[in-house]
């Protein structure tokens, strides 16, 4: 799913795309996709007691984030960072008796900045995997898969995409893992490779398909579904969700008991129902988890 901090040797991109001047597919409103409301979040003292002393003293969590990646995190028309992950983070901070301070960062800088102490944690739809777990810890809060979208009226099969042009956000695991593997399978079968069009902004990935500059896009399931919804009929889902894996908050291995505090606070939200309410507010409850885990990657 979203964004690999690791650059894998040998995964050459076979296409490029310039989108200068294209309008971004930024949501026109920060209003969630449903009218559900989130109940009051109450502090969990047992979880708050687990916070490291420095965070208790400051009363805040400094969080590195990268936008846009709607509906997970993006800016509303006023420039405020919003999204279901932001709502979830703010609710978790309330559980812990602190406030969350968001600091924008280049995506590839977030993990190094967490490790270096600039950020207390990173939150930007990070997929928890074994490679990343060697560097940092993850507090898992969601299960996302991969899903494709195509222009309306065009049938695309992700399992038979040989010879197609597929747009993807640079640095995502879709770009580093999923598409190269599918393309390699094509060439091994004697078919044309997939032309991988990597683009820095997910908004522009979406636009490239709408404008006919790519045959399909490959992204995390909630991102793809939201892009389809926002496209007003210009995009359609292509194929089912596959490759489910956990999202996780990124925490330094030197952060003491921070991950335990966050895990306990998140579990408290799951148990009292406020976790599900946040997801339902944005229509992304399909990826809800029942147990908050640490380092839950399977591969």
């Amino acid at each position: 799913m979203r964004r690999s901090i690791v650059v894998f040797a040998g995964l050459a991109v076979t296409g490029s795309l310039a989108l200068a001047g294209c309008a971004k597919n930024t949501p026109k409103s920060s209003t969630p996709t449903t009218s559900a409301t989130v109940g009051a979040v109450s502090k969990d003292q047992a979880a708050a007691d687990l916070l490291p002393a420095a965070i208790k003293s400051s009363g805040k969590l400094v969080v590195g984030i990268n936008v846009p990646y709607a509906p997970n995190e993006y800016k509303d028309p006023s420039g405020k960072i919003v999204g279901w992950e932001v709502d979830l983070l703010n609710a978790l901070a309330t559980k812990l008796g602190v406030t969350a301070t968001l600091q924008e960062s280049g995506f590839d800088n977030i993990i190094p900045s967490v490790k270096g102490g600039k950020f207390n944690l990173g939150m930007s739809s990070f997929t928890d995997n074994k490679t990343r777990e060697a560097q940092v810890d993850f507090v898992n809060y969601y299960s996302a898969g991969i899903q494709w979208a195509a222009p309306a009226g065009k049938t695309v099969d992700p399992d038979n995409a040989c010879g197609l042009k597929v747009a993807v956000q640079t640095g995502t695991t879709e770009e580093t893992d999923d598409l190269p593997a599918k393309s390699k399978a094509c060439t091994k079968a004697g078919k044309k490779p997939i032309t991988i069009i990597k683009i820095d902004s997910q908004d522009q990935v979406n636009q490239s398909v709408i404008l006919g500059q790519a045959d399909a896009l490959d992204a995390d399931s909630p991102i793809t579904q939201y892009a389809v919804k926002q496209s007003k009929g210009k995009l359609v889902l292509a194929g089912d969700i596959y490759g489910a894996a956990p999202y996780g908050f990124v925490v330094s291995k030197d952060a003491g008991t921070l991950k335990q505090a966050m895990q306990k606070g998140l579990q408290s939200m799951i148990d009292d129902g406020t976790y599900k309410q946040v997801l339902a507010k944005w229509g992304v409850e399909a990826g809800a988890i029942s147990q908050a885990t640490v380092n839950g990657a399977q591969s």
Side-chain angles (χ1 to χ4, degrees), residues 66-82:
N66 178 262
V67 293
Y69 207 55
N72 298 15
E73 52 265 335
Y74 63 94
K75 289 184 179 180
D76 70 11
S78 73
K80 180 182 178 181
I81 299 175
V82 297

Side-chain angles (χ1 to χ4, degrees), residues 142-284:
Y142 192 75
S143 178
I146 296 173
Q147 193 165 28
W148 289 32
K154 185 179 182 69
T155 300
V156 171
D157 179 1
D159 292 324
N160 187 24
C162 305
L164 297 184
K165 294 183 292 184
V166 181
V168 65
Q169 186 177 24
T170 303
T172 60
T173 52
E174 285 87 356
E175 184 247 319
T176 60
D177 294 6
D178 187 45
L179 287 179
K182 288 183 180 296
S183 185
K184 184 176 180 180
C186 290
T187 56
K188 286 184 68 175
K191 300 178 181 180
K192 291 183 179 180
I194 296 172
T195 298
I196 303 171
I197 301 173
K198 63 176 185 177
I199 305 171
D200 288 341
S201 164
Q202 184 64 42
D203 290 342
Q204 292 185 344
V205 168
N206 304 343
Q207 283 295 317
S208 74
V209 181
I210 290 172
L211 295 174
Q213 295 167 318
D215 297 302
L217 66 86
D218 183 5
D220 290 9
S221 51
I223 306 306
T224 301
Q225 292 164 15
Y226 192 74
V228 168
K229 183 178 181 65
Q230 293 292 310
S231 75
K232 298 180 179 179
K234 295 177 182 177
L235 295 174
V236 295
L237 295 175
D240 296 326
I241 298 171
Y242 61 93
Y247 279 168
F249 296 109
V250 177
V251 181
S252 171
K253 290 185 178 295
D254 298 324
T257 55
L258 177 58
K259 64 178 178 287
Q260 289 90 346
M262 293 180 64
Q263 180 187 21
K264 190 171 183 63
L266 181 60
Q267 189 62 51
S268 178
M269 287 181 60
I270 292 171
D271 293 342
D272 69 18
T274 50
Y275 167 79
K276 274 279 189 75
Q277 288 176 24
V278 170
L279 302 189
K281 177 183 174 184
W282 290 86
V284 296

Side-chain angles (χ1 to χ4, degrees), residues 89 214 235 289:
L89 172 69
L235 295 174
I289 60 173

